[in-house]
Amino acid sequence: MNRRDFVLKSAFAAALPLAANVASTKLMARPAPKEAGPGERAISWLDGSAPEAQTGSVWGLPWPQGELKKHDSLTLKNESGDTLPLQTWHTAYWPDGSIKWTAHAIPAEVKASDTLFVAKGDLVPPASPVVVTDRGAYVTVDTGKIRCVIPASGDHVFTSIERAGKATVENARLVGYRQSKAEFEADEIPDKESFQGVTQSIEIEQSGPVRAVVKVKGVHQTPSGRQWLPYTMRLVFFAGGEAARISHTFVYDTDGEKDFIKGLGLRFDVPLSDELHNRHIRFVGEGDGLWGEAVRGITGLRRDPGEAARDAQIAGVPTPPVEEWQPRAGQRVRFIPTWGDFSLSQPSANGFTIRKRTKPGHGWIDSDQGGRSSGVAYLGGISGGALFGMRDFWQLHPTQIDIRNANTDLGQATIWIWSPEAPAMDTRFYHDGLGMDTYEEQYDGGLAITYEDYEPGFGTAYGVARTSDFTIMAVDATPSREETVSIAATIREPALLTATPEDFLASGVFGQLWSLPDRSTPEKAEIEDRLDWSVQYYRDQVDQRHWYGFWNYGDVMHTYDSDRHVWRYDVGGYAWDNSELSPDLWLWYSFLRTGRRDEFRLAEAMTRHNRDVDIYHMGEFAGLGTRHNVQHWGCSAKQLRISTAAYRRFHYFLTADERTGDVLWEVSEADRQLANLVPTRKLKGRTATPSATRMGIGTDFGSAAANWLTAWERTGDPKYGDWLKNAMAAIGSHPLGFFAGDFGYNPDTKEMLPPEHNTPGVSHLSAVFGLVEICAELIELIDNPEFKDAWLQYCTLYNAPEEEQEAVLGTSFRPNLMQAHSRLTAFAAHQKGDSELGQRAWKEFSREWGGKKTIGTIRIEGPDTLNPIDEAAWVSTNDSSQWGLAAIQNLALVSNAL
């Protein structure tokens, strides 16, 4: 052992006791909800308490099979026993037709307590139901406080939001710029072209009484008529609410070689009529920080207008009439400059600037700086205006908020999801191919040295997407500073209600492969501590390593480089993880068993990223996802195992997020791509032809089955159930079962054809992309003894001694990822009631690749690294997601053998 290793190991060991003891407390534990009464289900807020600003909320709730029928109505009460308005819709069904998941909405300004109670009962309508009216050329939505007009076509997302008959916000539209070359590469300044959104269709998805949703579909169009960047927007309204919540998803439909987005945002107008000194601008900074000034400031003057006037302006309330000011100030008010333009720019995750100017043609004045802006602003005056913002503003940099013409009768605001002041968006592939023109060079070259699966033309962003969420509130007065900050909290991170871990487990909605945390023995406590520490470590690495940015936020890195003390961000297949080895599943199951906020937010950010960026939504690879790479779209392995619904169904059912639901529909028949692009095409003898389509029994079948299962749950349509049953029968009836390797496949009929060979085939990757979890659910939902036996055989033999493998299969193989596959052994032990097999599972679990890992980090700082970081050099995807899933499932299945 050299001196460096000795120092690192010593420091690592010294940190262990503290790390082990505090791991669980560093995670964000949630207070237990109040106890529910007979027939009630207790739900509570993810953040532990009800939000200060009640602007309307949506959540999902699971139900055990047979408990809730389609005709049953549900009611909601708070801790005081008050019945609250509730809108309910069904998002999933059990095979017997009973309800598996419901989604719910409550109005704005409802008297929500920290714990709420759901039970069967009569509905209570909201005091002011949201009303949607279809006028043909436009749709109106009236919440009781605001009325929004949404045209069916044209340049505007909405033409107005009115309050008390007065237009408060007008002419919302999507705007942007493109240029033909990237910065610093052109001999001359790149040409720039503007574009604007054009609505092509609208659809009323929900019409109240508590929640209304209008879907808008369109394209962005240049002045020359070119249409590109198709988008889907949803405008969401709540009864009694002041806000329009807007979800905007665009699909990137260019090769990126001559189209560089220079700006993309949502712009709207705000009519202004108050006196200039009674107009206010607000920017919310970090946490409770607020930057607030007037268009014409009257503080700090040489001539004092008086304390009453100054205090009123600071508070955002009407000042006394100018005639009542100190005369020496009031008579000279016209000589005080008025500020019309303001900008908050967030070019990186760790810094924003605020500047202002009086009007175009005059210089900008630096106003302030900060770290991470909430991305929330106000433009208006004492008689009202717009309070608006964007979720994940600083995380999705480069972002910007522009306010213009605040000193005129018509102010303008733009929320930029890609700042026009940032370098143009560049999605081109990061290297020139390095001469890898043949499959042999790609397989034995790039894959062998950098773990990158390269293929010319495959590293394209054409077809990926990104979603941004906005809120625009039409208010009748300048909100107080405290109100502004509390509303900003709900904009940057919407409040969510969830069931308890006990309810999730009892409902059985995601199978029985997990259990509640159990520290009843030292051995179990050690595993629980490491489970907690692993999530905590990744959560902290996101921040320390600055895994933020428009295309990056939500993903994590694959493997660590202990020499450079960085994750391998620039090394082929070791960089962005793109769901490799199921970190999504690990995080979602972690949340289900603990209910912790940080586990949910980490999982949610990952889902919001990979459902959009790591999956293709149009073009040649539509329905497929991209394997891990330096760029999210860089790898030539475009596969079902990345786009699988297995990773995203959790988020949809827990939140009822419509965008996630869209993606689940997109992949419901992604198996059709198996006829177009063979995952194993670079292996000899595996060339692709439509007549020779094959479905791998591991990642392909597991992904397709997850897609079909999710579609079956959501619709109850028997065709999806039949596809599953037929596939299960084909596998179960084959002598080799899951060891058959792959089957012939007809994507049109979903028929799996027995392979022509009888040679066992096995891959260490087959079971680590959701197959374990989906097969467990299928066995519970569909009675097919042959399929169950085939799966239990695979689970039993994969890690079995060679002689056991040979006795059954006639051959043996050396298992890879033994620890990850210990959960297969555990499943077989649990199903068979085999205690010896359970003990074998724990022995396999203890055999970690690279030696036993112990929780803890060391601090790296000084000249070895740019910024101080906490390092656990052994951590990779294998040591987190697959270890975590094995730990969770083994504890649930064979804890008695530990």
Side-chain angles (χ1 to χ4, degrees), residues 446-463:
L447 197 60
I449 186 65
T450 66
Y451 203 28
E452 178 171 78
D453 193 352
Y454 169 79
E455 190 168 339
F458 276 60
T460 176
Y462 187 104

Short mmCIF file of all heavy atoms in Angstrom, two decimals, residues 446-463:
data_model
loop_
_atom_site.label_atom_id
_atom_site.label_comp_id
_atom_site.label_asym_id
_atom_site.label_seq_id
_atom_site.Cartn_x
_atom_site.Cartn_y
_atom_site.Cartn_z
N GLY A 446 -13.78 1.64 -29.77
CA GLY A 446 -14.34 2.57 -28.79
C GLY A 446 -14.92 1.87 -27.57
O GLY A 446 -14.68 2.28 -26.43
N LEU A 447 -15.70 0.81 -27.80
CA LEU A 447 -16.32 0.12 -26.68
C LEU A 447 -15.27 -0.50 -25.76
O LEU A 447 -15.44 -0.55 -24.54
CB LEU A 447 -17.27 -0.95 -27.20
CG LEU A 447 -18.30 -1.50 -26.22
CD1 LEU A 447 -19.22 -0.40 -25.71
CD2 LEU A 447 -19.13 -2.61 -26.88
N ALA A 448 -14.16 -0.95 -26.35
CA ALA A 448 -13.13 -1.61 -25.56
C ALA A 448 -12.27 -0.64 -24.77
O ALA A 448 -11.74 -1.00 -23.71
CB ALA A 448 -12.23 -2.45 -26.49
N ILE A 449 -12.12 0.60 -25.24
CA ILE A 449 -11.20 1.52 -24.56
C ILE A 449 -11.92 2.58 -23.73
O ILE A 449 -11.50 2.90 -22.62
CB ILE A 449 -10.23 2.18 -25.58
CG1 ILE A 449 -9.19 3.04 -24.85
CG2 ILE A 449 -11.00 3.03 -26.58
CD1 ILE A 449 -8.25 2.25 -23.98
N THR A 450 -13.02 3.14 -24.23
CA THR A 450 -13.73 4.18 -23.48
C THR A 450 -15.14 3.77 -23.08
O THR A 450 -15.87 4.55 -22.48
CB THR A 450 -13.84 5.50 -24.29
OG1 THR A 450 -14.67 5.26 -25.43
CG2 THR A 450 -12.47 6.00 -24.71
N TYR A 451 -15.52 2.54 -23.40
CA TYR A 451 -16.84 2.01 -23.08
C TYR A 451 -17.92 2.72 -23.87
O TYR A 451 -19.10 2.68 -23.52
CB TYR A 451 -17.09 2.14 -21.57
CG TYR A 451 -18.12 1.20 -20.99
CD1 TYR A 451 -18.39 -0.05 -21.56
CD2 TYR A 451 -18.83 1.55 -19.85
CE1 TYR A 451 -19.33 -0.90 -21.01
CE2 TYR A 451 -19.77 0.69 -19.29
CZ TYR A 451 -20.02 -0.52 -19.89
OH TYR A 451 -20.96 -1.37 -19.34
N GLU A 452 -17.55 3.38 -24.95
CA GLU A 452 -18.51 4.12 -25.77
C GLU A 452 -18.93 3.28 -26.97
O GLU A 452 -18.09 2.78 -27.71
CB GLU A 452 -17.92 5.44 -26.25
CG GLU A 452 -18.87 6.23 -27.14
CD GLU A 452 -18.36 7.63 -27.43
OE1 GLU A 452 -17.47 7.76 -28.28
OE2 GLU A 452 -18.84 8.57 -26.78
N ASP A 453 -20.21 3.16 -27.17
CA ASP A 453 -20.77 2.46 -28.32
C ASP A 453 -21.09 3.49 -29.38
O ASP A 453 -22.18 4.05 -29.42
CB ASP A 453 -22.01 1.69 -27.90
CG ASP A 453 -22.47 0.69 -28.96
OD1 ASP A 453 -21.91 0.72 -30.07
OD2 ASP A 453 -23.37 -0.11 -28.68
N TYR A 454 -20.13 3.75 -30.26
CA TYR A 454 -20.27 4.80 -31.27
C TYR A 454 -20.75 4.20 -32.60
O TYR A 454 -20.41 3.07 -32.95
CB TYR A 454 -18.93 5.50 -31.49
CG TYR A 454 -18.93 6.42 -32.69
CD1 TYR A 454 -19.50 7.69 -32.60
CD2 TYR A 454 -18.39 6.01 -33.91
CE1 TYR A 454 -19.53 8.53 -33.71
CE2 TYR A 454 -18.42 6.85 -35.02
CZ TYR A 454 -19.00 8.11 -34.91
OH TYR A 454 -19.03 8.93 -36.00
N GLU A 455 -21.51 5.00 -33.32
CA GLU A 455 -21.90 4.64 -34.69
C GLU A 455 -22.22 5.94 -35.42
O GLU A 455 -22.95 6.79 -34.88
CB GLU A 455 -23.11 3.71 -34.68
CG GLU A 455 -23.43 3.10 -36.04
CD GLU A 455 -24.45 1.97 -35.94
OE1 GLU A 455 -24.61 1.40 -34.85
OE2 GLU A 455 -25.07 1.67 -36.97
N PRO A 456 -21.68 6.13 -36.62
CA PRO A 456 -21.91 7.39 -37.34
C PRO A 456 -23.40 7.70 -37.49
O PRO A 456 -24.20 6.82 -37.84
CB PRO A 456 -21.26 7.14 -38.71
CG PRO A 456 -20.22 6.09 -38.44
CD PRO A 456 -20.80 5.21 -37.37
N GLY A 457 -23.78 8.93 -37.19
CA GLY A 457 -25.15 9.39 -37.36
C GLY A 457 -26.08 9.07 -36.21
O GLY A 457 -27.23 9.53 -36.21
N PHE A 458 -25.61 8.31 -35.24
CA PHE A 458 -26.49 7.92 -34.14
C PHE A 458 -26.43 8.88 -32.96
O PHE A 458 -27.34 8.88 -32.13
CB PHE A 458 -26.12 6.50 -33.67
CG PHE A 458 -26.76 5.40 -34.47
CD1 PHE A 458 -26.52 5.28 -35.83
CD2 PHE A 458 -27.60 4.49 -33.87
CE1 PHE A 458 -27.10 4.28 -36.58
CE2 PHE A 458 -28.19 3.46 -34.61
CZ PHE A 458 -27.94 3.37 -35.97
N GLY A 459 -25.39 9.67 -32.85
CA GLY A 459 -25.26 10.59 -31.71
C GLY A 459 -26.01 11.88 -31.95
O GLY A 459 -25.44 12.98 -31.85
N THR A 460 -27.29 11.78 -32.24
CA THR A 460 -28.09 12.94 -32.60
C THR A 460 -29.13 13.25 -31.53
O THR A 460 -29.70 12.35 -30.92
CB THR A 460 -28.80 12.70 -33.95
OG1 THR A 460 -29.66 13.81 -34.24
CG2 THR A 460 -29.65 11.44 -33.91
N ALA A 461 -29.38 14.54 -31.35
CA ALA A 461 -30.42 14.98 -30.42
C ALA A 461 -31.78 15.11 -31.10
O ALA A 461 -32.75 15.50 -30.43
CB ALA A 461 -30.02 16.32 -29.80
N TYR A 462 -31.85 14.79 -32.39
CA TYR A 462 -33.12 14.90 -33.11
C TYR A 462 -34.16 13.98 -32.46
O TYR A 462 -34.00 12.76 -32.44
CB TYR A 462 -32.95 14.51 -34.58
CG TYR A 462 -34.18 14.75 -35.43
CD1 TYR A 462 -34.23 15.83 -36.30
CD2 TYR A 462 -35.28 13.92 -35.36
CE1 TYR A 462 -35.36 16.07 -37.08
CE2 TYR A 462 -36.42 14.15 -36.12
CZ TYR A 462 -36.45 15.23 -36.98
OH TYR A 462 -37.57 15.47 -37.74
N GLY A 463 -35.20 14.58 -31.91
CA GLY A 463 -36.28 13.81 -31.31
C GLY A 463 -36.32 13.82 -29.80
O GLY A 463 -37.28 13.32 -29.21
#
